[in-house]
Amino acid sequence: MRPAMVNGVEHVKQPRLGEFDIIARYFAPLATTSASLGLRDDAAILPVPAGEELVATCDTIVEGVHFLSDDPPASIGHKVLAVNLSDLAAKGAAPHAYLLSLSLREAAPDWLEGFALGLGTLQASSGIALIGGDTTATPGPVTIGITALGLVPKGKAVLRSGAKPGDRLYVSCTIGDAHLGLRLRQDPRLAEVWELTPQEAALLIERYQQPEPRSRIALLLRQWAHAAIDVSDGLVGDIEKLCMASCAGAIIDADRVPLASAARKALARDKRLFEALITGGDDYEIVAAIPEGSAATFEAGALERQVSVTAIGKIVAGDPQVTVLDREGRALKLAHKGFAHFEDSA
Ligand code: ADP
Ligand code: MG
């Protein structure tokens, strides 16, 4: 390309990136399976191995709703894939392939590079491959959707239905960190109010920006879980969804809900935060109903896979309600249970 002269200095004018340049430069390198046809055809052609079935899920993240405009682009790429991998994990499915729908206001090379890096890093560690998508310009907020496909042996997917009275309810890792991370992004002064070290605040923000999908326990869920759900809209509300699908109730011990040490510190400064921790969104942890007789094996398997799991309560017969008990055995009165779009609270 011919260099342009500006103020006597030679400048190589950056070519404007078009839709097809974006696909070829940033996304074709992520199309690591032949099913993608190199992102050079109208669609991907995907064989399904004999004896297996596809688990399909689609989650979209929107600027200002699920991520903030100035979040690092790599974390946005990570997050959009992570939230979809979390759904696959909850169904006991192995990550297989995904499609990416990207609506951007502008084609900024730095942003696209970071975004593709975040996507590619998580893709590589989870064993999933990009097979297609769509790229459009939009005047509105940046909107990024992924359709993810996983594989399970026929009939072996873990559903929300199937939990039985007496099952233990387990949750992976810790709850509420991402909610606090979002609050810190919105108001950094809260770090002082909650007396957090910069490292603790950074950890909570990272949990909001870069959730880790619990893919490592997908196989265990398939082996041992009667039912499971990905916790994305608040622990209590999402357990209630599992209860509704399973036509049963649940009792949770508030004291047993696993909290990160930074969250415990914040809670020590402001007791009212507890309700927000167990009803706030963005955890991307997994709740599983495990029959009592398999609980020890499930726990050992999770430990082996370096995913902590904590028994927080049990499934009970009765209405599909979630009761959260405090230390004295009294039911907490929760103003709302989780997040739902188009509502202030659910
Ligand atoms: P169509 O005209 O049929 O919508 P496109 O020209 O939009 O097809 O896309 C060409 C190819 O590039 C297709 O294989 C499509 O799946 C792929 N593609 C487009 N955008 C993306 C993206 N953001 N990520 C991955 N693949 C993409
Ligand atoms: Mg298209």
Short mmCIF file of all heavy atoms in Angstrom, two decimals, residues 265-335:
data_model
loop_
_atom_site.label_atom_id
_atom_site.label_comp_id
_atom_site.label_asym_id
_atom_site.label_seq_id
_atom_site.Cartn_x
_atom_site.Cartn_y
_atom_site.Cartn_z
N LYS A 265 -15.27 -10.92 54.15
CA LYS A 265 -14.81 -9.64 54.70
C LYS A 265 -15.86 -8.56 54.45
O LYS A 265 -16.22 -7.80 55.35
CB LYS A 265 -13.50 -9.23 54.03
CG LYS A 265 -12.33 -9.18 54.98
CD LYS A 265 -11.07 -8.98 54.22
CE LYS A 265 -10.25 -7.83 54.78
NZ LYS A 265 -8.97 -7.69 54.06
N ALA A 266 -16.34 -8.50 53.22
CA ALA A 266 -17.36 -7.51 52.87
C ALA A 266 -18.61 -7.72 53.73
O ALA A 266 -19.20 -6.76 54.25
CB ALA A 266 -17.69 -7.61 51.39
N LEU A 267 -18.96 -8.98 53.91
CA LEU A 267 -20.16 -9.32 54.68
C LEU A 267 -20.01 -8.93 56.14
O LEU A 267 -20.96 -8.49 56.78
CB LEU A 267 -20.40 -10.83 54.55
CG LEU A 267 -21.72 -11.39 55.04
CD1 LEU A 267 -22.88 -10.73 54.31
CD2 LEU A 267 -21.74 -12.90 54.80
N ALA A 268 -18.78 -9.06 56.65
CA ALA A 268 -18.54 -8.67 58.04
C ALA A 268 -18.77 -7.17 58.25
O ALA A 268 -19.18 -6.73 59.31
CB ALA A 268 -17.11 -9.05 58.44
N ARG A 269 -18.53 -6.36 57.19
CA ARG A 269 -18.74 -4.91 57.27
C ARG A 269 -20.21 -4.55 57.06
O ARG A 269 -20.68 -3.54 57.54
CB ARG A 269 -17.91 -4.16 56.21
CG ARG A 269 -16.43 -4.42 56.24
CD ARG A 269 -15.77 -3.93 57.53
NE ARG A 269 -14.45 -4.50 57.66
CZ ARG A 269 -14.17 -5.57 58.41
NH1 ARG A 269 -15.10 -6.16 59.12
NH2 ARG A 269 -12.95 -6.04 58.46
N ASP A 270 -20.90 -5.39 56.28
CA ASP A 270 -22.28 -5.06 55.95
C ASP A 270 -23.09 -6.36 55.85
O ASP A 270 -23.12 -7.02 54.82
CB ASP A 270 -22.32 -4.31 54.60
CG ASP A 270 -23.73 -3.92 54.19
OD1 ASP A 270 -24.68 -4.28 54.92
OD2 ASP A 270 -23.87 -3.26 53.15
N LYS A 271 -23.74 -6.69 56.96
CA LYS A 271 -24.49 -7.97 57.05
C LYS A 271 -25.60 -8.07 56.00
O LYS A 271 -25.98 -9.16 55.59
CB LYS A 271 -25.12 -8.11 58.44
CG LYS A 271 -24.11 -8.24 59.56
CD LYS A 271 -23.75 -9.72 59.78
CE LYS A 271 -22.76 -9.91 60.89
NZ LYS A 271 -21.41 -10.24 60.42
N ARG A 272 -26.11 -6.90 55.59
CA ARG A 272 -27.24 -6.94 54.64
C ARG A 272 -26.82 -7.49 53.29
O ARG A 272 -27.64 -7.82 52.46
CB ARG A 272 -27.82 -5.53 54.45
CG ARG A 272 -28.53 -4.98 55.68
CD ARG A 272 -28.70 -3.49 55.53
NE ARG A 272 -27.42 -2.87 55.18
CZ ARG A 272 -27.25 -1.60 54.84
NH1 ARG A 272 -28.29 -0.80 54.77
NH2 ARG A 272 -26.06 -1.12 54.55
N LEU A 273 -25.51 -7.56 53.05
CA LEU A 273 -25.03 -8.05 51.75
C LEU A 273 -25.39 -9.51 51.50
O LEU A 273 -25.43 -9.96 50.37
CB LEU A 273 -23.50 -7.93 51.66
CG LEU A 273 -22.93 -6.58 51.27
CD1 LEU A 273 -21.41 -6.65 51.32
CD2 LEU A 273 -23.40 -6.18 49.87
N PHE A 274 -25.67 -10.27 52.58
CA PHE A 274 -25.87 -11.71 52.38
C PHE A 274 -26.96 -12.01 51.36
O PHE A 274 -26.80 -12.84 50.48
CB PHE A 274 -26.18 -12.41 53.71
CG PHE A 274 -26.23 -13.91 53.55
CD1 PHE A 274 -25.07 -14.63 53.29
CD2 PHE A 274 -27.44 -14.59 53.59
CE1 PHE A 274 -25.11 -16.01 53.09
CE2 PHE A 274 -27.49 -15.97 53.38
CZ PHE A 274 -26.32 -16.68 53.14
N GLU A 275 -28.06 -11.28 51.49
CA GLU A 275 -29.17 -11.51 50.56
C GLU A 275 -28.72 -11.27 49.11
O GLU A 275 -29.06 -12.03 48.21
CB GLU A 275 -30.36 -10.61 50.91
CG GLU A 275 -31.50 -10.82 49.94
CD GLU A 275 -32.82 -10.24 50.42
OE1 GLU A 275 -32.94 -9.95 51.63
OE2 GLU A 275 -33.73 -10.10 49.59
N ALA A 276 -27.94 -10.22 48.91
CA ALA A 276 -27.46 -9.93 47.55
C ALA A 276 -26.52 -11.03 47.05
O ALA A 276 -26.54 -11.38 45.87
CB ALA A 276 -26.74 -8.58 47.54
N LEU A 277 -25.73 -11.59 47.96
CA LEU A 277 -24.79 -12.63 47.54
C LEU A 277 -25.52 -13.88 47.04
O LEU A 277 -25.10 -14.49 46.07
CB LEU A 277 -23.86 -13.03 48.70
CG LEU A 277 -22.92 -11.95 49.21
CD1 LEU A 277 -22.06 -12.50 50.36
CD2 LEU A 277 -22.01 -11.45 48.09
N ILE A 278 -26.63 -14.22 47.70
CA ILE A 278 -27.32 -15.47 47.32
C ILE A 278 -28.43 -15.24 46.30
O ILE A 278 -29.09 -16.19 45.89
CB ILE A 278 -27.85 -16.25 48.56
CG1 ILE A 278 -28.88 -15.43 49.33
CG2 ILE A 278 -26.70 -16.69 49.45
CD1 ILE A 278 -29.64 -16.26 50.37
N THR A 279 -28.62 -13.99 45.89
CA THR A 279 -29.64 -13.73 44.86
C THR A 279 -29.08 -12.93 43.67
O THR A 279 -29.76 -12.77 42.67
CB THR A 279 -30.85 -12.95 45.43
OG1 THR A 279 -30.38 -11.71 45.95
CG2 THR A 279 -31.56 -13.74 46.52
N GLY A 280 -27.83 -12.47 43.80
CA GLY A 280 -27.21 -11.69 42.72
C GLY A 280 -26.83 -12.61 41.57
O GLY A 280 -26.72 -13.82 41.73
N GLY A 281 -26.62 -12.05 40.42
CA GLY A 281 -26.34 -12.88 39.24
C GLY A 281 -24.85 -13.07 38.98
O GLY A 281 -24.00 -12.68 39.77
N ASP A 282 -24.56 -13.71 37.83
CA ASP A 282 -23.21 -13.79 37.27
C ASP A 282 -22.26 -14.77 37.95
O ASP A 282 -21.05 -14.69 37.73
CB ASP A 282 -22.54 -12.40 37.23
CG ASP A 282 -22.92 -11.65 35.97
OD1 ASP A 282 -22.89 -12.26 34.89
OD2 ASP A 282 -23.26 -10.45 36.07
N ASP A 283 -22.80 -15.69 38.78
CA ASP A 283 -21.89 -16.63 39.43
C ASP A 283 -21.28 -17.64 38.45
O ASP A 283 -20.11 -17.96 38.54
CB ASP A 283 -22.63 -17.43 40.52
CG ASP A 283 -22.99 -16.58 41.71
OD1 ASP A 283 -22.09 -15.91 42.25
OD2 ASP A 283 -24.17 -16.58 42.12
N TYR A 284 -22.12 -18.17 37.58
CA TYR A 284 -21.71 -19.26 36.67
C TYR A 284 -21.06 -20.42 37.43
O TYR A 284 -20.04 -20.95 37.05
CB TYR A 284 -20.83 -18.73 35.53
CG TYR A 284 -21.62 -17.70 34.76
CD1 TYR A 284 -21.35 -16.34 34.89
CD2 TYR A 284 -22.70 -18.07 33.97
CE1 TYR A 284 -22.13 -15.39 34.26
CE2 TYR A 284 -23.49 -17.13 33.34
CZ TYR A 284 -23.20 -15.79 33.48
OH TYR A 284 -23.97 -14.86 32.87
N GLU A 285 -21.70 -20.75 38.55
CA GLU A 285 -21.35 -21.97 39.27
C GLU A 285 -22.43 -23.01 38.96
O GLU A 285 -23.41 -22.70 38.26
CB GLU A 285 -21.25 -21.70 40.78
CG GLU A 285 -20.13 -20.74 41.16
CD GLU A 285 -18.73 -21.25 40.81
OE1 GLU A 285 -18.58 -22.45 40.55
OE2 GLU A 285 -17.80 -20.42 40.75
N ILE A 286 -22.25 -24.21 39.46
CA ILE A 286 -23.21 -25.28 39.18
C ILE A 286 -23.82 -25.79 40.47
O ILE A 286 -23.11 -25.99 41.46
CB ILE A 286 -22.52 -26.41 38.39
CG1 ILE A 286 -22.30 -25.90 36.96
CG2 ILE A 286 -23.37 -27.69 38.39
CD1 ILE A 286 -21.50 -26.80 36.09
N VAL A 287 -25.15 -25.94 40.46
CA VAL A 287 -25.84 -26.61 41.55
C VAL A 287 -26.26 -27.98 41.06
O VAL A 287 -26.79 -28.11 39.96
CB VAL A 287 -27.08 -25.80 42.01
CG1 VAL A 287 -28.03 -26.68 42.82
CG2 VAL A 287 -26.66 -24.59 42.86
N ALA A 288 -25.98 -29.00 41.88
CA ALA A 288 -26.33 -30.36 41.49
C ALA A 288 -27.05 -31.07 42.63
O ALA A 288 -26.72 -30.88 43.80
CB ALA A 288 -25.07 -31.14 41.13
N ALA A 289 -28.06 -31.87 42.27
CA ALA A 289 -28.77 -32.71 43.24
C ALA A 289 -28.17 -34.11 43.14
O ALA A 289 -28.27 -34.76 42.10
CB ALA A 289 -30.25 -32.74 42.92
N ILE A 290 -27.50 -34.52 44.22
CA ILE A 290 -26.78 -35.80 44.22
C ILE A 290 -27.43 -36.73 45.25
O ILE A 290 -27.60 -36.34 46.41
CB ILE A 290 -25.28 -35.57 44.62
CG1 ILE A 290 -24.63 -34.48 43.74
CG2 ILE A 290 -24.51 -36.89 44.59
CD1 ILE A 290 -24.31 -34.88 42.33
N PRO A 291 -27.77 -37.94 44.85
CA PRO A 291 -28.35 -38.85 45.84
C PRO A 291 -27.35 -39.12 46.96
O PRO A 291 -26.15 -39.21 46.72
CB PRO A 291 -28.65 -40.12 45.03
CG PRO A 291 -27.94 -39.97 43.72
CD PRO A 291 -27.70 -38.52 43.50
N GLU A 292 -27.90 -39.22 48.17
CA GLU A 292 -27.09 -39.40 49.38
C GLU A 292 -25.99 -40.47 49.20
O GLU A 292 -24.84 -40.25 49.53
CB GLU A 292 -28.06 -39.80 50.51
CG GLU A 292 -27.53 -39.70 51.90
CD GLU A 292 -27.17 -38.28 52.31
OE1 GLU A 292 -27.98 -37.35 52.08
OE2 GLU A 292 -26.06 -38.11 52.86
N GLY A 293 -26.38 -41.60 48.61
CA GLY A 293 -25.45 -42.73 48.48
C GLY A 293 -24.26 -42.45 47.56
O GLY A 293 -23.25 -43.14 47.63
N SER A 294 -24.37 -41.44 46.68
CA SER A 294 -23.28 -41.13 45.75
C SER A 294 -22.49 -39.89 46.18
O SER A 294 -21.52 -39.50 45.51
CB SER A 294 -23.84 -40.86 44.34
OG SER A 294 -24.72 -41.87 43.97
N ALA A 295 -22.92 -39.28 47.29
CA ALA A 295 -22.35 -37.99 47.68
C ALA A 295 -20.83 -38.07 47.90
O ALA A 295 -20.08 -37.21 47.41
CB ALA A 295 -23.05 -37.45 48.92
N ALA A 296 -20.39 -39.11 48.61
CA ALA A 296 -18.96 -39.20 48.93
C ALA A 296 -18.13 -39.38 47.66
O ALA A 296 -17.07 -38.75 47.49
CB ALA A 296 -18.71 -40.37 49.89
N THR A 297 -18.62 -40.19 46.73
CA THR A 297 -17.90 -40.43 45.46
C THR A 297 -17.86 -39.15 44.64
O THR A 297 -16.85 -38.82 44.02
CB THR A 297 -18.62 -41.53 44.64
OG1 THR A 297 -19.08 -42.53 45.53
CG2 THR A 297 -17.71 -42.12 43.60
N PHE A 298 -18.99 -38.43 44.62
CA PHE A 298 -19.05 -37.16 43.89
C PHE A 298 -18.04 -36.17 44.47
O PHE A 298 -17.28 -35.54 43.73
CB PHE A 298 -20.48 -36.60 43.96
CG PHE A 298 -20.62 -35.23 43.37
CD1 PHE A 298 -20.58 -35.04 41.99
CD2 PHE A 298 -20.78 -34.11 44.18
CE1 PHE A 298 -20.70 -33.77 41.43
CE2 PHE A 298 -20.91 -32.84 43.64
CZ PHE A 298 -20.87 -32.67 42.26
N GLU A 299 -18.02 -36.07 45.79
CA GLU A 299 -17.09 -35.13 46.44
C GLU A 299 -15.64 -35.49 46.12
O GLU A 299 -14.82 -34.61 45.80
CB GLU A 299 -17.28 -35.13 47.95
CG GLU A 299 -18.48 -34.32 48.39
CD GLU A 299 -18.57 -34.16 49.91
OE1 GLU A 299 -17.53 -34.15 50.58
OE2 GLU A 299 -19.71 -34.06 50.40
N ALA A 300 -15.34 -36.78 46.19
CA ALA A 300 -13.95 -37.22 45.93
C ALA A 300 -13.58 -36.92 44.48
O ALA A 300 -12.46 -36.46 44.19
CB ALA A 300 -13.81 -38.70 46.23
N GLY A 301 -14.51 -37.15 43.56
CA GLY A 301 -14.25 -36.90 42.14
C GLY A 301 -14.00 -35.43 41.87
O GLY A 301 -13.11 -35.06 41.09
N ALA A 302 -14.78 -34.57 42.53
CA ALA A 302 -14.62 -33.13 42.33
C ALA A 302 -13.26 -32.67 42.87
O ALA A 302 -12.56 -31.87 42.24
CB ALA A 302 -15.76 -32.38 43.00
N LEU A 303 -12.90 -33.22 44.03
CA LEU A 303 -11.62 -32.89 44.65
C LEU A 303 -10.47 -33.26 43.70
O LEU A 303 -9.54 -32.49 43.49
CB LEU A 303 -11.50 -33.67 45.97
CG LEU A 303 -10.40 -33.25 46.93
CD1 LEU A 303 -10.67 -31.85 47.46
CD2 LEU A 303 -10.32 -34.24 48.10
N GLU A 304 -10.58 -34.45 43.14
CA GLU A 304 -9.58 -34.95 42.19
C GLU A 304 -9.46 -34.00 40.98
O GLU A 304 -8.38 -33.80 40.45
CB GLU A 304 -10.04 -36.31 41.70
CG GLU A 304 -8.99 -37.27 41.26
CD GLU A 304 -9.66 -38.61 40.96
OE1 GLU A 304 -10.09 -39.30 41.92
OE2 GLU A 304 -9.81 -38.92 39.77
N ARG A 305 -10.58 -33.44 40.58
CA ARG A 305 -10.58 -32.52 39.43
C ARG A 305 -10.36 -31.08 39.85
O ARG A 305 -10.54 -30.14 39.06
CB ARG A 305 -11.89 -32.65 38.67
CG ARG A 305 -11.99 -33.96 37.91
CD ARG A 305 -13.43 -34.29 37.53
NE ARG A 305 -13.52 -35.54 36.78
CZ ARG A 305 -13.46 -36.77 37.31
NH1 ARG A 305 -13.31 -36.90 38.62
NH2 ARG A 305 -13.55 -37.84 36.56
N GLN A 306 -10.03 -30.89 41.12
CA GLN A 306 -9.70 -29.56 41.66
C GLN A 306 -10.82 -28.55 41.50
O GLN A 306 -10.59 -27.38 41.18
CB GLN A 306 -8.41 -29.03 41.03
CG GLN A 306 -7.24 -29.92 41.41
CD GLN A 306 -5.97 -29.53 40.70
OE1 GLN A 306 -6.00 -29.18 39.53
NE2 GLN A 306 -4.86 -29.59 41.40
N VAL A 307 -12.06 -29.04 41.67
CA VAL A 307 -13.20 -28.12 41.73
C VAL A 307 -13.83 -28.33 43.11
O VAL A 307 -14.25 -29.45 43.43
CB VAL A 307 -14.24 -28.44 40.62
CG1 VAL A 307 -15.47 -27.53 40.77
CG2 VAL A 307 -13.61 -28.26 39.24
N SER A 308 -13.87 -27.28 43.93
CA SER A 308 -14.45 -27.50 45.25
C SER A 308 -15.97 -27.55 45.13
O SER A 308 -16.57 -26.82 44.32
CB SER A 308 -14.02 -26.40 46.22
OG SER A 308 -14.63 -25.19 45.87
N VAL A 309 -16.59 -28.46 45.86
CA VAL A 309 -18.05 -28.53 45.90
C VAL A 309 -18.48 -28.57 47.35
O VAL A 309 -17.78 -29.15 48.19
CB VAL A 309 -18.60 -29.76 45.13
CG1 VAL A 309 -18.35 -29.65 43.64
CG2 VAL A 309 -18.04 -31.07 45.67
N THR A 310 -19.59 -27.92 47.66
CA THR A 310 -20.06 -27.83 49.05
C THR A 310 -21.52 -28.22 49.11
O THR A 310 -22.34 -27.74 48.31
CB THR A 310 -19.94 -26.36 49.55
OG1 THR A 310 -18.61 -25.90 49.30
CG2 THR A 310 -20.26 -26.24 51.02
N ALA A 311 -21.84 -29.09 50.07
CA ALA A 311 -23.25 -29.44 50.30
C ALA A 311 -23.90 -28.29 51.04
O ALA A 311 -23.43 -27.90 52.12
CB ALA A 311 -23.34 -30.73 51.10
N ILE A 312 -24.95 -27.70 50.48
CA ILE A 312 -25.57 -26.52 51.10
C ILE A 312 -26.99 -26.80 51.58
O ILE A 312 -27.60 -25.95 52.21
CB ILE A 312 -25.59 -25.30 50.14
CG1 ILE A 312 -26.30 -25.65 48.83
CG2 ILE A 312 -24.17 -24.78 49.90
CD1 ILE A 312 -26.59 -24.42 47.97
N GLY A 313 -27.50 -27.99 51.28
CA GLY A 313 -28.87 -28.27 51.71
C GLY A 313 -29.38 -29.52 51.05
O GLY A 313 -28.60 -30.36 50.58
N LYS A 314 -30.71 -29.64 51.01
CA LYS A 314 -31.26 -30.86 50.42
C LYS A 314 -32.59 -30.60 49.72
O LYS A 314 -33.24 -29.58 49.94
CB LYS A 314 -31.41 -31.93 51.49
CG LYS A 314 -32.28 -31.56 52.67
CD LYS A 314 -32.37 -32.76 53.61
CE LYS A 314 -33.41 -32.57 54.70
NZ LYS A 314 -33.07 -31.70 55.78
N ILE A 315 -32.93 -31.57 48.91
CA ILE A 315 -34.23 -31.57 48.22
C ILE A 315 -35.25 -32.20 49.17
O ILE A 315 -34.95 -33.20 49.83
CB ILE A 315 -34.14 -32.37 46.90
CG1 ILE A 315 -33.17 -31.71 45.92
CG2 ILE A 315 -35.51 -32.57 46.27
CD1 ILE A 315 -33.65 -30.41 45.30
N VAL A 316 -36.42 -31.56 49.24
CA VAL A 316 -37.48 -32.10 50.11
C VAL A 316 -38.77 -32.26 49.31
O VAL A 316 -38.94 -31.60 48.27
CB VAL A 316 -37.75 -31.17 51.33
CG1 VAL A 316 -36.54 -31.15 52.25
CG2 VAL A 316 -38.11 -29.75 50.88
N ALA A 317 -39.66 -33.11 49.78
CA ALA A 317 -40.96 -33.27 49.13
C ALA A 317 -41.78 -32.00 49.37
O ALA A 317 -41.60 -31.31 50.37
CB ALA A 317 -41.68 -34.48 49.70
N GLY A 318 -42.65 -31.68 48.43
CA GLY A 318 -43.54 -30.53 48.64
C GLY A 318 -43.47 -29.53 47.53
O GLY A 318 -42.95 -29.80 46.44
N ASP A 319 -44.03 -28.34 47.82
CA ASP A 319 -44.09 -27.28 46.81
C ASP A 319 -42.70 -26.90 46.33
O ASP A 319 -41.75 -26.98 47.11
CB ASP A 319 -44.77 -26.03 47.41
CG ASP A 319 -46.24 -26.29 47.68
OD1 ASP A 319 -46.79 -27.24 47.05
OD2 ASP A 319 -46.83 -25.59 48.51
N PRO A 320 -42.61 -26.46 45.08
CA PRO A 320 -41.29 -26.08 44.54
C PRO A 320 -40.82 -24.74 45.09
O PRO A 320 -40.79 -23.73 44.40
CB PRO A 320 -41.54 -26.03 43.03
CG PRO A 320 -42.99 -25.78 42.88
CD PRO A 320 -43.67 -26.39 44.06
N GLN A 321 -40.49 -24.75 46.37
CA GLN A 321 -40.03 -23.53 47.03
C GLN A 321 -38.66 -23.75 47.62
O GLN A 321 -38.33 -24.86 48.01
CB GLN A 321 -40.97 -23.20 48.19
CG GLN A 321 -42.21 -22.46 47.76
CD GLN A 321 -43.20 -22.36 48.90
OE1 GLN A 321 -42.94 -22.79 50.03
NE2 GLN A 321 -44.34 -21.78 48.59
N VAL A 322 -37.91 -22.67 47.71
CA VAL A 322 -36.59 -22.75 48.34
C VAL A 322 -36.67 -22.02 49.68
O VAL A 322 -37.05 -20.84 49.73
CB VAL A 322 -35.52 -22.08 47.45
CG1 VAL A 322 -34.15 -22.20 48.10
CG2 VAL A 322 -35.51 -22.71 46.08
N THR A 323 -36.34 -22.72 50.74
CA THR A 323 -36.31 -22.10 52.06
C THR A 323 -34.86 -21.99 52.49
O THR A 323 -34.13 -22.99 52.47
CB THR A 323 -37.08 -22.98 53.08
OG1 THR A 323 -38.37 -23.26 52.53
CG2 THR A 323 -37.23 -22.28 54.41
N VAL A 324 -34.45 -20.78 52.85
CA VAL A 324 -33.07 -20.58 53.32
C VAL A 324 -33.13 -20.38 54.83
O VAL A 324 -33.79 -19.45 55.31
CB VAL A 324 -32.41 -19.35 52.63
CG1 VAL A 324 -30.95 -19.24 53.06
CG2 VAL A 324 -32.53 -19.46 51.11
N LEU A 325 -32.47 -21.27 55.57
CA LEU A 325 -32.53 -21.22 57.03
C LEU A 325 -31.28 -20.55 57.61
O LEU A 325 -30.17 -20.80 57.14
CB LEU A 325 -32.62 -22.64 57.60
CG LEU A 325 -33.84 -23.45 57.19
CD1 LEU A 325 -33.77 -24.85 57.81
CD2 LEU A 325 -35.14 -22.76 57.58
N ASP A 326 -31.50 -19.73 58.63
CA ASP A 326 -30.34 -19.13 59.30
C ASP A 326 -29.84 -20.08 60.38
O ASP A 326 -30.36 -21.19 60.55
CB ASP A 326 -30.68 -17.73 59.85
CG ASP A 326 -31.65 -17.78 61.03
OD1 ASP A 326 -31.93 -18.89 61.54
OD2 ASP A 326 -32.14 -16.71 61.43
N ARG A 327 -28.82 -19.65 61.12
CA ARG A 327 -28.18 -20.50 62.12
C ARG A 327 -29.17 -21.03 63.17
O ARG A 327 -29.03 -22.13 63.67
CB ARG A 327 -27.11 -19.65 62.82
CG ARG A 327 -26.07 -20.42 63.53
CD ARG A 327 -24.91 -19.53 63.87
NE ARG A 327 -24.23 -19.04 62.69
CZ ARG A 327 -23.24 -18.14 62.71
NH1 ARG A 327 -22.86 -17.62 63.86
NH2 ARG A 327 -22.65 -17.76 61.61
N GLU A 328 -30.20 -20.22 63.46
CA GLU A 328 -31.19 -20.64 64.47
C GLU A 328 -32.32 -21.46 63.86
O GLU A 328 -33.29 -21.78 64.53
CB GLU A 328 -31.79 -19.41 65.17
CG GLU A 328 -30.94 -18.85 66.29
CD GLU A 328 -29.76 -18.03 65.75
OE1 GLU A 328 -29.99 -17.27 64.79
OE2 GLU A 328 -28.64 -18.21 66.25
N GLY A 329 -32.21 -21.74 62.56
CA GLY A 329 -33.25 -22.54 61.92
C GLY A 329 -34.46 -21.74 61.48
O GLY A 329 -35.50 -22.30 61.14
N ARG A 330 -34.33 -20.41 61.48
CA ARG A 330 -35.44 -19.56 61.01
C ARG A 330 -35.28 -19.31 59.52
O ARG A 330 -34.16 -19.10 59.03
CB ARG A 330 -35.44 -18.20 61.74
CG ARG A 330 -35.82 -18.29 63.21
CD ARG A 330 -35.65 -16.96 63.86
NE ARG A 330 -34.30 -16.43 63.59
CZ ARG A 330 -33.58 -15.72 64.47
NH1 ARG A 330 -34.09 -15.44 65.65
NH2 ARG A 330 -32.39 -15.28 64.16
N ALA A 331 -36.44 -19.27 58.82
CA ALA A 331 -36.40 -19.03 57.37
C ALA A 331 -36.11 -17.55 57.10
O ALA A 331 -36.74 -16.66 57.70
CB ALA A 331 -37.74 -19.41 56.75
N LEU A 332 -35.14 -17.28 56.23
CA LEU A 332 -34.84 -15.89 55.85
C LEU A 332 -35.96 -15.36 54.98
O LEU A 332 -36.48 -16.09 54.13
CB LEU A 332 -33.54 -15.82 55.06
CG LEU A 332 -32.24 -16.26 55.70
CD1 LEU A 332 -31.06 -15.93 54.78
CD2 LEU A 332 -32.05 -15.56 57.05
N LYS A 333 -36.33 -14.11 55.20
CA LYS A 333 -37.31 -13.49 54.31
C LYS A 333 -36.54 -12.74 53.23
O LYS A 333 -35.86 -11.76 53.52
CB LYS A 333 -38.19 -12.52 55.10
CG LYS A 333 -39.16 -13.23 55.99
CD LYS A 333 -40.24 -12.29 56.53
CE LYS A 333 -41.13 -13.00 57.52
NZ LYS A 333 -40.41 -13.41 58.76
N LEU A 334 -36.62 -13.21 52.00
CA LEU A 334 -35.87 -12.60 50.91
C LEU A 334 -36.80 -11.71 50.09
O LEU A 334 -37.90 -12.13 49.71
CB LEU A 334 -35.27 -13.68 50.01
CG LEU A 334 -34.34 -14.68 50.72
CD1 LEU A 334 -33.96 -15.82 49.79
CD2 LEU A 334 -33.08 -13.95 51.20
N ALA A 335 -36.36 -10.49 49.83
CA ALA A 335 -37.18 -9.57 49.06
C ALA A 335 -37.34 -10.05 47.62
O ALA A 335 -38.37 -9.89 47.00
CB ALA A 335 -36.57 -8.17 49.08
#
